[in-house]
Amino acid sequence: MTRRLDYNQVAPNGAKALGGVYGYVLQSGLPGELVDLVYLRVSQINNCAYCLDMHTRELLKRGVKIEKLALVQAWEEGGNLFSEAERAALSWAETVTLVAETGVPDGAYEAARQVFDEKQLVDLTIAISLMNSYNRMAISFRNTPQAVLET
């Protein structure tokens, strides 16, 4: 797969704006590992190889065990590998990412609100939305995963 264009060079102000949202998420107070797990799950749903590679590497650097990473896609069956907050965040990430199919039902919202306060839920939704945007950019313009570059 050949990269189509470098959107960071073509539209640096747009890329910088996305980076500003990324910076906001970093300082939001949400746990970094939880956000990275959500980024990984969103990227799995969207089948974004570039982001899958990047977020897997980031989670490994954080010390997340490979057994947990292997089960992110099947987190509901992961038992105690995932905390209550992680399970709630992954569930919310799925329903928000698949909004055209799910409509983000009231039950999903209520379940997320049982775990997250209003600001945390808004910040989490911003993170999910950001990763969906990054996935669409990387897929549309064929960003090459680091793993492919290293072969």
Side-chain angles (χ1 to χ4, degrees), residues 67-124:
E67 294 83 1
K68 184 172 184 175
L69 290 177
L71 293 180
V72 169
Q73 189 169 354
W75 61 268
E76 290 178 280
E77 298 174 41
N80 292 332
L81 283 174
F82 298 94
S83 70
E84 178 185 21
E86 289 169 344
R87 288 190 303 272
L90 292 166
S91 179
W92 185 246
E94 289 177 0
T95 195
V96 170
T97 297
L98 299 170
V99 63
E101 296 171 29
T102 69
V104 189
D106 291 340
Y109 171 78
E110 293 302 328
R113 281 290 286 129
Q114 298 256 333
V115 178
F116 299 107
D117 66 28
E118 288 180 347
K119 181 168 184 320
Q120 290 171 324
L121 190 56
V122 169
D123 289 344
L124 180 59

Side-chain angles (χ1 to χ4, degrees), residues 22 24-40 55 58-59 62 64 68 83-90 115-117 119-121 123-125 127-128:
Y22 181 79
Y24 172 81
V25 172
L26 285 176
Q27 65 80 44
S28 70
L30 290 171
E33 184 176 320
L34 180 140
V35 171
D36 282 340
L37 286 169
V38 164
Y39 286 167
L40 181 61
H55 298 299
E58 288 174 8
L59 285 158
R62 286 186 182 275
V64 176
K68 184 172 184 175
S83 70
E84 178 185 21
E86 289 169 344
R87 288 190 303 272
L90 292 166
V115 178
F116 299 107
D117 66 28
K119 181 168 184 320
Q120 290 171 324
L121 190 56
D123 289 344
L124 180 59
T125 307
I128 294 162

